[in-house]
Amino acid sequence: MRWKKMIWIFLYTILGVISFAMLYLASDWLLSRIPAYHQNPYVEEQPLTLYLLTNGVHTDLVFPVKSEQMDWHSIFPYQYTLAQDSTKSWIAIGWGDKGFYLNTPEWKDLTLKTALIAGLGIGQSALHTTYYPNLVENDQCIKFHVSEEQYQLLVEFVLSTIEYADHDRPIYIQTEAQYGNDDAFYEALGAYHLFYSCNTWTNAALKSARLPSAVWTVFDKGILRHYQHK
């Protein structure tokens, strides 16, 4: 009879996993559709232009490299990129699991160990920065506008997630895992897990500035749907 007990345990485990997955996806489906602010103060004519960038899975916030409020080069130097090209005008900033960033340049490189560490929140996190000469609006690159106050709130959110060394210098991650010639990685605060993904970070940043955002989401589409009409 022992084998029957093992079969039931196995079936209950499978049922539990399926039930959790369905509840998880249903929660994101519902909460990602609820705006964080019911009376959203978003105004198209705001003076500063930013972009929301996605690769279909992961989102980045894109800022002008230099503005009156912020010089991102002073935080994330061009010198840490392979190209060291100081002519780039835009910088994309994203947050995520460090192991996932460095060990999974493509989905085919994903291992069970990396996925479990990321999902359970027991790994470290990192910021990924990429410099761009220009950006073109499309379904994966959405332009939006912010006030000076909203921009400052976004800047403060990003800066608050950086892990600093002495003299308030971000800790550069020396690696050969760059995705191209214009990107670099830095140590970050916080833990990536099932309920706080790279997209949750982006959504939280937008929410901190009272910009279009979801109550909660872990997927890029949970953010993008709030910008589809912009």
Side-chain angles (χ1 to χ4, degrees):
M1 302 296 290
R2 181 182 178 87
W3 64 271
K4 289 186 177 180
K5 183 177 181 180
M6 293 179 64
I7 290 175
W8 279 110
I9 291 174
F10 175 76
L11 291 176
Y12 278 124
T13 301
I14 294 299
L15 180 61
V17 171
I18 293 173
S19 299
F20 173 80
M22 292 178 64
L23 179 61
Y24 180 79
L25 294 173
S27 297
D28 183 87
W29 186 93
L30 175 63
L31 295 177
S32 69
R33 282 166 168 76
I34 303 175
Y37 304 103
H38 294 293
Q39 292 182 333
N40 208 302
Y42 183 85
V43 178
E44 184 72 25
E45 290 74 22
Q46 295 289 11
L48 301 174
T49 298
L50 304 181
Y51 289 88
L52 183 60
L53 191 64
T54 179
N55 62 5
V57 177
H58 168 90
T59 51
D60 288 336
L61 290 170
V62 187
F63 301 88
V65 172
K66 184 175 287 189
S67 65
E68 291 184 5
Q69 292 86 356
M70 186 64 179
D71 179 4
W72 288 106
H73 169 252
S74 67
I75 305 296
F76 305 119
Y78 294 106
Q79 288 81 356
Y80 288 144
T81 67
L82 294 176
Q84 299 186 4
D85 184 352
S86 62
T87 66
K88 301 296 172 66
S89 303
W90 299 90
I91 181 171
I93 303 174
W95 177 95
D97 179 74
K98 181 179 177 180
F100 205 99
Y101 266 140
L102 302 184
N103 301 323
T104 314
E106 297 182 17
W107 284 109
K108 65 180 182 180
D109 301 310
L110 180 63
T111 64
L112 179 60
K113 178 181 178 181
T114 298
L116 286 175
I117 290 175
L120 296 175
I122 57 178
Q124 296 176 299
S125 60
L127 285 168
H128 181 228
T129 64
T130 307
Y131 283 101
Y132 291 94
N134 52 62
L135 290 160
V136 177
E137 273 193 282
N138 55 44
D139 291 342
Q140 293 189 315
C141 184
I142 299 173
K143 179 191 293 186
F144 64 101
H145 305 275
V146 300
S147 66
E148 293 183 359
E149 180 183 2
Q150 288 171 320
Y151 182 87
Q152 187 59 41
L153 289 170
L154 288 173
V155 169
E156 290 174 4
F157 181 91
V158 173
L159 295 180
S160 72
T161 59
I162 300 172
E163 183 175 348
Y164 295 94
D166 296 335
H167 309 296
D168 293 330
R169 289 183 297 103
I171 303 172
Y172 166 65
I173 300 174
Q174 192 162 3
T175 176
E176 296 181 358
Q178 282 100 331
Y179 297 166
N181 291 325
D182 298 294
D183 67 319
F185 294 95
Y186 298 84
E187 300 286 357
L189 301 175
Y192 182 108
H193 52 76
L194 279 174
F195 302 99
Y196 197 96
S197 71
C198 53
N199 301 309
T200 313
W201 178 90
T202 301
N203 188 67
L206 295 166
K207 192 187 297 187
S208 75
R210 297 188 65 83
L211 287 161
S213 50
V215 169
W216 174 77
T217 187
V218 291
F219 302 117
D220 67 328
K221 291 178 177 58
I223 303 170
L224 299 180
R225 63 170 44 95
H226 296 278
Y227 288 81
Q228 289 173 345
H229 65 285
K230 299 294 182 285

